[in-house]
Amino acid sequence: MFLKFKSLFGLILSKPRSYNPKAYWIEQGETYKQKYHERFEKRLQENGYDRNIGVLMSTLHEFDFKSILDVGCGYGLYLQVIEQEFPDLDDIQGCDISLTQLEEAREFLGPDSRVKLSETDGIHLPYPDKHFDIVITYGVCIHVADNKIEDFLLEILRVARQAYIFIESSSFINEHSYFAHNYPDIFAKMGAPLEIRKELDPKHKERLYVADLR
């Protein structure tokens, strides 16, 4: 049985004491969508597709699922694609530490969206055990400090029923809000399954990981 989670985003602390994850992402949320989405649209114009969204969608199609949670959902890009790709889902939810990111997500997804958004309080994910068939993250674990990453992942595994699917890089030097983690070692320590499904960017050690919990 997975251990109880001690803290989520509130314990995502980097080495400099001045780094406050909640304050940082609330501030970033004011401009992050504009900067990131411009790059996303440029990739679509140049290539006709987005690599990470493509591999995530193809992986999701391997599962027969009715509910999904995006932890650290940001402005809602992945949630929008999931809602369009899987119109019959019963429950699509996203959560984030940043109120400004969530405000951007509500605007981005639009008033007719079926996605439910929640603010995390930095203590726990506000969902019952095994509440979601699938949980996903993208570029979230790199902001979790070394001594808190196991707790963070255990809490995700607590609320996931079928699988945890995530895309992360592991080439950053541990400084400010970025941390490099050895996910196979961490999952082995936790006694949880993990597969490196696809090498996306060898230079930055960006990979698609799947923890199949079925």
Side-chain angles (χ1 to χ4, degrees):
M1 178 179 294
F2 296 120
L3 300 175
K4 290 294 183 180
F5 178 66
K6 300 175 183 176
S7 173
L8 182 57
F9 290 107
L11 289 177
I12 302 175
L13 302 176
S14 64
K15 292 180 180 179
R17 293 184 179 181
S18 60
Y19 175 61
N20 180 311
K22 187 175 183 69
Y24 177 81
W25 284 107
I26 286 176
E27 180 181 357
Q28 287 293 309
E30 297 177 355
T31 58
Y32 181 81
K33 173 180 172 292
Q34 179 180 355
K35 292 186 294 186
Y36 184 86
H37 202 67
E38 285 178 356
R39 295 198 297 269
F40 168 72
E41 290 183 329
K42 183 179 180 180
R43 290 197 301 272
L44 288 184
Q45 292 174 358
E46 292 176 348
N47 304 316
Y49 70 99
D50 180 83
R51 178 199 64 190
N52 288 356
I53 286 179
V55 297
L56 177 61
M57 292 304 113
S58 64
T59 304
L60 286 175
H61 276 289
E62 299 175 14
F63 294 84
D64 181 14
F65 66 102
K66 290 297 183 182
S67 59
I68 190 166
L69 171 69
D70 183 355
V71 177
C73 64
Y75 69 90
L77 174 61
Y78 282 60
L79 289 169
Q80 183 188 70
V81 176
I82 290 168
E83 186 175 20
Q84 295 170 349
E85 185 83 4
F86 300 93
D88 296 327
L89 288 181
D90 295 332
D91 189 10
I92 309 173
Q93 298 197 40
C95 63
D96 204 281
I97 192 174
S98 169
L99 284 172
T100 53
Q101 290 270 50
L102 292 172
E103 289 170 0
E104 291 286 352
R106 290 186 180 95
E107 180 180 348
F108 181 75
L109 293 168
D112 297 327
S113 173
R114 296 179 293 114
V115 175
K116 181 180 178 181
L117 299 171
S118 301
E119 179 193 8
T120 55
D121 61 8
I123 304 301
H124 63 282
L125 287 174
Y127 315 105
D129 293 356
K130 307 303 178 187
H131 188 67
F132 297 96
D133 290 328
I134 306 290
V135 178
I136 66 168
T137 63
Y138 167 61
V140 175
C141 296
I142 59 172
H143 300 292
V144 184
D146 293 332
N147 63 334
K148 301 303 176 183
I149 185 63
E150 187 174 330
D151 289 335
F152 177 83
L153 293 170
L154 284 170
E155 178 68 349
I156 287 177
L157 295 176
R158 179 185 68 79
V159 303
R161 184 162 49 246
Q162 290 190 31
Y164 170 40
I165 302 168
F166 61 107
I167 296 173
E168 293 289 345
S169 297
S170 298
S171 63
F172 297 99
I173 297 173
N174 289 7
E175 59 182 13
H176 192 49
S177 62
Y178 293 94
F179 296 85
H181 302 298
N182 186 322
Y183 298 103
D185 284 356
I186 294 169
F187 275 75
K189 180 182 177 182
M190 297 189 304
L194 185 68
E195 177 187 357
I196 301 174
R197 183 62 65 85
K198 192 173 183 63
E199 189 84 41
L200 299 172
D201 184 348
K203 178 181 178 181
H204 296 101
K205 298 181 181 179
E206 186 176 31
R207 296 160 177 161
L208 171 74
Y209 298 88
V210 176
D212 193 332
L213 309 174
R214 293 173 295 183

